[in-house]
Amino acid sequence: MQTKIDIILVLDFGGQYCHLISRRVREQNVYSEIVPHDISPEEVKALNEKFNVKGLILSGGPSSVYGENTPKLNPGILEGNVPILGLCYGHQILVQLTEGKVESSNCKEYGIAYVTVDNPVGVLEGLSKKEKVWMSHGDTVCSLPSDFEALAHTNNCPVAAFRHKHKPIYGLQWHPEVIHTENGNRMLHNFIFNVCRCEANWQMENLVEKMVQELKTEVGEGKAIIGLSGGIDSSVSTALAAKALNEKLTAVYVDHGFMREGETEAIRETFSKFKINFIVVQAQKRFIKKLEGVTEPECKRKIIGEEFIRVFEEEAIKSGAQYLIQGTIYPDIIESGFSKNSDNIKSHHNVGGLPEKIEFKKILEPLRELYKDEVRKVAKMLDLPNELVNRQPFPGPGLAVRIIGLLTEEKIRIVKRSDKIVREEIEGAGLAESLWQYFAVVTDTKATGVKGDTRAYGYVVAVRAMESREAMTASFAKIPYDVLEKISTRITNEIPEVTHVVYDITHKPPATIEWE
Ligand code: XMP
């Protein structure tokens, strides 16, 4: 008989970092899943049939506990004996439910803060008196019910951490899951192993097995097609699906005309070796026609998302497939505002860009729980070639979201050539491995220049290079000036329509990685 594994449930209150919590737990070799914020005690009990539910973490969220229609915790959850850790909004909701006091604070804290640890016990065991943490809150816990005690404070926040005096319930106003909280992993480790008494009995391999098995079960005797864009996510999904379905799978690569130079050939070369059906659809004309006159970024994304589906539906009829598999990963979902309580940042083509009516029995997304670096780990486990594992992420709508304003043939040509130059110079300088992404954007701005003693009036191209672990936050890379100089010189020399090259020095947040 197979023994049950331990699990920590993360209750999703809509925070941008909700999934990071789950992932940080998995990094400590304990399984974790995200569940709705209003899960009932009965549902937790039902999950106990399959797993040992050892703890609950309440995520942060964008709401104020006093707002209208804000996500609430089922009060029955507090009656059980399962340990609970509330983070940020989760910390406040625990206090509000138990009749403590949460107030909107004049001194809101966003970013790095220093907390004073007054009582280093439980989740805070082994920590120093002063800890560097990541805060992001407007409301503040002002007083606690008598069964609770404060464990830490900041200058603006009298109860930055608390515990229940008799039950394993803790709250932290900060985000231990974010890397900027220096000892965040230690805090989560304390909760997982000292408070919840979990066993580290989960491996990434279990997840690969689970994903392959789920695809086999879902598709059964049917057939599936998969959208292959050439980025790491869709490539890994294709490799997983190939393992589960073999010739019942057709991989469809849609060339919408916004691919990087050499992309189609590279994809053809890699995937023609798999034991699946692989087809390339030349769809440049239909995409450009649909995008004629469109400038608004979300509109572009939605049109591209819909057109992708229409192509897939046509290909599904030809191959007899009932299922569509997509390479959606977790940040695509959260940024498209698809967690019940989170805000829409941008519509990722394969999530928020989907049309309402879709002619498929079901869309399957085997990687939807994972972050990019976890996807890379899966790629290694599947023995995918290095050039695939190390590819930089590439958005499904392709270069279309790197052309600001109207998508003209001229701008498409410029972005393709600039992108190739950026890639060649960054890779030539040996910087690629340390970067998350590096690319060029054609802005909608023109500026005056002088080329060969004559006045020129041309496009401003922006170069962007980012460092990141999972794309939820990212920093612009401090590329050496000589490399930037080479990029700038080559772009202005080799592309006559460009007069200026600028380097984007904005982190995410407040910017996003892609310009649209
Ligand atoms: P942003 O621009 O939201 O990007 O900071 C985060 C990461 O996601 C990639 N990206 C996409 N990937 N479909 C995708 O498959 C999309 O529509 C999409 N939009 C952005 C982006 O390149 C970055 O790595």
Side-chain angles (χ1 to χ4, degrees):
M1 200 182 92
Q2 210 185 354
T3 48
K4 292 195 285 182
I5 58 166
D6 292 348
I7 188 171
I8 299 279
L9 302 178
V10 178
L11 278 61
D12 180 3
F13 284 90
Q16 291 287 311
Y17 304 125
C18 172
H19 240 73
L20 263 187
I21 305 169
S22 180
R23 179 225 148 109
R24 295 281 180 250
V25 177
R26 293 200 298 260
E27 277 174 359
Q28 312 226 17
N29 294 114
V30 172
Y31 190 52
S32 170
E33 275 189 13
I34 312 283
V35 294
H37 65 89
D38 52 1
I39 189 168
S40 66
E42 294 71 35
E43 286 166 321
V44 174
K45 209 164 153 204
L47 275 170
N48 246 326
E49 305 277 307
K50 204 165 147 203
F51 305 101
N52 298 315
V53 179
K54 295 300 271 286
L56 310 177
I57 302 184
L58 318 186
S59 84
S63 315
S64 158
V65 286
Y66 290 116
E68 271 174 40
N69 303 322
T70 51
K72 299 270 185 298
L73 179 71
N74 183 318
I77 291 288
L78 296 179
E79 305 298 319
N81 280 323
V82 184
I84 300 176
L85 172 63
L87 304 179
C88 195
Y89 181 85
H91 161 92
Q92 295 163 8
I93 203 131
L94 282 173
V95 171
Q96 194 206 28
L97 253 186
T98 48
E99 287 161 8
K101 218 162 143 203
V102 180
E103 279 181 359
S104 174
S105 159
N106 291 334
C107 256
K108 303 180 190 311
E109 290 173 297
Y110 298 108
I112 299 291
Y114 290 87
V115 292
T116 304
V117 176
D118 304 302
N119 189 3
V121 292
V123 174
L124 302 184
E125 201 178 301
L127 296 179
S128 325
K129 188 85 190 148
K130 275 262 177 284
E131 285 290 332
K132 186 174 169 191
V133 301
W134 179 264
M135 293 264 202
S136 183
H137 67 116
D139 292 348
T140 298
V141 173
C142 300
S143 65
L144 289 168
S146 56
D147 278 346
F148 286 74
E149 62 181 337
L151 302 179
H153 72 274
T154 70
N155 290 345
N156 303 315
C157 182
V159 187
F162 65 74
R163 73 165 171 183
H164 193 287
K165 288 181 187 159
H166 316 293
K167 288 180 168 191
I169 298 180
Y170 290 82
L172 303 178
Q173 181 56 70
W174 63 87
H175 291 272
E177 70 278 18
V178 170
I179 47 170
H180 311 285
T181 297
E182 229 160 51
N183 287 313
N185 276 342
R186 172 77 195 255
M187 297 164 195
L188 290 173
H189 185 279
N190 282 341
F191 180 68
I192 298 166
F193 296 105
N194 302 352
V195 180
C196 301
R197 309 226 162 262
C198 285
E199 247 182 77
N201 56 8
W202 181 83
Q203 310 290 335
M204 197 73 181
E205 279 85 355
N206 306 11
L207 196 62
V208 174
E209 244 169 65
K210 179 175 167 250
M211 292 187 291
V212 169
Q213 204 45 51
E214 277 174 3
L215 282 175
K216 274 190 185 161
T217 315
E218 280 281 3
V219 176
E221 292 308 307
K223 286 184 176 174
I225 66 168
I226 183 159
L228 177 59
S229 72
I232 167 100
D233 308 338
S234 67
S235 299
V236 171
S237 305
T238 303
L240 264 178
K243 211 169 151 93
L245 308 172
N246 294 310
E247 60 285 346
K248 286 193 277 181
L249 178 72
T250 301
V252 182
Y253 170 81
V254 182
D255 187 346
H256 48 27
F258 305 108
M259 290 304 191
R260 291 173 285 203
E261 266 190 47
E263 190 84 19
T264 306
E265 297 69 31
I267 298 295
R268 202 192 290 276
E269 157 98 31
T270 308
F271 283 93
S272 45
K273 293 180 197 134
F274 279 63
K275 278 198 199 114
I276 54 172
N277 309 300
F278 171 63
I279 49 175
V280 175
V281 181
Q282 302 292 350
Q284 295 93 328
K285 282 197 185 127
R286 60 190 283 180
F287 273 85
I288 199 80
K289 192 154 190 303
K290 290 268 171 186
L291 289 160
E292 248 167 37
V294 180
T295 54
E296 207 278 315
E298 275 299 279
C299 206
K300 277 186 196 168
R301 284 178 166 273
K302 294 229 155 95
I303 290 172
I304 293 171
E306 161 141 24
E307 207 50 24
F308 261 119
I309 292 287
R310 302 285 95 101
V311 174
F312 293 147
E313 282 169 353
E314 290 163 20
E315 293 308 319
I317 292 172
K318 289 184 204 158
S319 68
Q322 307 82 8
Y323 296 89
L324 173 66
I325 303 173
Q326 298 212 106
T328 315
I329 62 168
Y330 188 70
D332 302 345
I333 295 174
I334 192 75
E335 299 208 334
S336 296
F338 265 59
S339 153
K340 228 197 277 165
N341 310 305
S342 71
D343 204 17
N344 181 8
I345 312 285
K346 63 174 74 165
S347 301
H348 283 241
H349 77 290
N350 41 351
V351 193
L354 287 181
E356 278 183 10
K357 196 166 177 309
I358 294 170
E359 300 289 332
F360 282 99
K361 198 165 169 186
K362 200 164 181 189
I363 294 186
L364 307 174
E365 296 171 321
L367 306 178
R368 63 181 288 126
E369 300 289 329
L370 303 188
Y371 281 90
K372 191 81 73 184
D373 53 344
E374 292 181 305
V375 173
R376 288 212 163 93
K377 279 189 199 148
V378 173
K380 284 207 181 115
M381 277 171 209
L382 292 169
D383 283 332
L384 290 184
N386 266 348
E387 72 266 15
L388 242 176
V389 178
N390 299 327
R391 294 199 107 200
Q392 45 167 333
F394 188 60
L399 302 174
V401 291
R402 296 179 183 167
I403 296 172
I404 313 307
L406 284 181
L407 297 160
T408 61
E409 303 240 329
E410 182 185 46
K411 279 155 101 185
I412 296 172
R413 208 175 47 244
I414 295 172
V415 83
K416 282 190 181 177
R417 294 181 65 185
S418 316
D419 174 78
K420 187 158 181 266
I421 293 170
V422 173
R423 276 192 282 152
E424 284 172 359
E425 291 306 325
I426 297 267
E427 285 158 20
L431 298 172
E433 263 191 31
S434 61
L435 297 177
W436 171 265
Q437 257 171 317
Y438 40 97
F439 55 86
V441 175
V442 180
T443 71
D444 207 22
T445 299
K446 284 193 155 188
T448 305
V450 50
K451 288 195 178 181
D453 291 336
T454 358
R455 179 182 191 273
Y457 187 58
Y459 284 99
V460 178
V461 164
V463 174
R464 186 132 174 88
M466 302 299 281
E467 290 168 359
S468 178
R469 268 186 76 186
E470 64 278 293
M472 296 298 285
T473 59
S475 317
F476 76 84
K478 310 217 171 40
I479 302 289
Y481 275 142
D482 59 334
V483 178
L484 288 175
E485 187 182 18
K486 267 197 202 148
I487 291 174
S488 157
T489 309
R490 278 194 63 194
I491 292 179
T492 45
N493 281 354
E494 295 174 30
I495 313 175
E497 299 90 340
V498 180
T499 48
H500 288 244
V501 177
V502 296
Y503 187 54
D504 184 347
I505 52 164
T506 336
H507 300 312
K508 171 183 180 175
T512 53
I513 295 176
E514 303 289 347
W515 273 36
E516 289 200 332

